Amino acid sequence: MKLRWLLAALLLAAPSLAQTPSARALYIAGHYDAAIRAGLAQHDGEGLTEAARSALAKARLGKSPCLSCLKLAESYARAAVAADPKSALARVYLAAALGYEARIIGIMEAEAKGFAGEAKDNLKIALRYHPHNGFALAAMGGWNIGVVAGGGAFLADLMYGASTDDGIAYYHKAFAADPTSIVPRFEYVLSLSSLDRESYAPQIEKALEFVVNGTAHTAYEKIMQEQGRQLLTLWKAAQWSAYQQLVHHIQGYPD
């Protein structure tokens, strides 16, 4: 009799267990705090990677830049890399966290901490294991252009081997690797807009149109798409000061 009751209880519990959302599902739905908790509870590289991604999304969507939030995302990403050194996404999120932190603390302090070099090293490793990963390719594109925009073409090449041409080439590889994703196009818009909006106007406008007319697959991408609509509206109205201010805000720079 006791065995029958035990089996019945297990059968009743099974559907509810099966319906427990995964960290990835929670991220997709935009429930970032819950996704972080679920990811950490997995106690593995995949879960830690999802925790890092959710923490980054939460930090990026905040009303103002939050260094402590980014540090938390960085810690999850580092733990994910330690758990799975070959994970492309864990290394991408670590590089991204360092990049956003650098924008808050400033170029001089970020240079002293070696953020640019560490970010590049992680992206190189990610691409060594996953040469066709669209997120890693786009991140490397953004890294190259970001270094050029921050320190100028000469110093970027001298100190880090970064260039605008390499950045654009990596972005185009990302587009080919994931032709329907709006994410690399949106990051391309931000990168080129921060570098030289006038010189790259045709590429920026084309990418913005792609973002606005594409398909958003996650709650985060829906917000990204709405930001793209705002940027395109300002672009078409030639409201350049407001356009650059919004780019600056989306990229996580302090006001």
Side-chain angles (χ1 to χ4, degrees):
M1 181 64 72
K2 289 184 178 179
L3 180 59
R4 288 182 182 178
W5 278 109
L6 177 60
L7 289 173
L10 288 173
L11 288 171
L12 287 171
S16 61
L17 290 173
Q19 292 170 11
T20 301
S22 66
R24 183 167 299 177
L26 288 164
Y27 169 83
I28 290 171
H31 304 308
Y32 302 122
D33 287 330
I36 291 170
R37 290 193 296 271
L40 295 177
Q42 288 183 219
H43 301 294
D44 59 14
E46 181 181 348
L48 288 164
T49 299
E50 290 298 329
R53 177 164 72 157
S54 294
L56 268 175
K58 184 179 176 182
R60 288 191 68 176
L61 296 177
K63 292 183 179 180
S64 59
C66 174
L67 186 59
S68 62
C69 304
L70 292 167
K71 285 290 186 185
L72 192 60
E74 178 194 340
S75 70
Y76 297 152
R78 289 191 185 281
V81 169
D84 184 2
K86 294 183 179 181
S87 169
L89 291 181
R91 292 188 181 275
V92 167
Y93 299 144
L94 175 54
L98 293 174
Y100 283 108
E101 288 175 39
R103 291 168 184 167
I104 296 175
I105 65 177
I107 190 169
M108 297 301 293
E109 186 175 347
E111 172 62 25
K113 292 178 179 292
F115 280 6
E118 185 178 5
K120 182 182 182 181
D121 289 344
N122 275 280
L123 295 177
K124 285 175 66 177
I125 295 170
L127 289 170
R128 183 190 309 157
Y129 290 120
H130 306 276
H132 304 296
N133 184 283
F135 287 102
L137 289 165
M140 185 63 95
W143 178 87
N144 272 272
I145 295 176
V147 171
V148 173
F154 177 77
L155 286 178
D157 181 39
L158 180 67
M159 296 178 65
Y160 298 107
S163 74
T164 301
D165 287 345
D166 283 349
I168 291 173
Y170 273 114
Y171 269 119
H172 281 279
K173 288 179 182 178
F175 302 160
D178 200 350
T180 64
S181 177
I182 68 172
V183 177
R185 263 60 170 215
F186 188 71
E187 297 298 336
Y188 187 59
V189 165
L190 299 178
S191 292
L192 292 183
S193 295
S194 66
L195 179 66
D196 190 338
R197 174 184 52 78
E198 293 183 6
S199 295
Y200 296 100
Q203 296 94 319
I204 293 170
E205 186 168 0
K206 182 179 179 181
L208 273 174
E209 294 280 5
F210 186 98
V211 171
V212 169
N213 295 309
T215 301
H217 298 288
T218 68
Y220 185 79
E221 289 180 16
K222 289 177 182 177
I223 293 173
M224 182 181 287
Q225 191 171 53
E226 177 55 33
Q227 291 173 333
R229 289 193 185 97
Q230 295 171 18
L231 287 171
L232 187 58
T233 297
L234 293 171
W235 182 280
K236 290 184 179 297
Q239 296 182 19
W240 303 125
S241 178
Y243 176 88
Q244 291 298 156
Q245 186 176 3
L246 182 54
V247 167
H248 193 81
H249 172 74
I250 295 170
Q251 288 186 306
Y253 286 100
D255 294 332

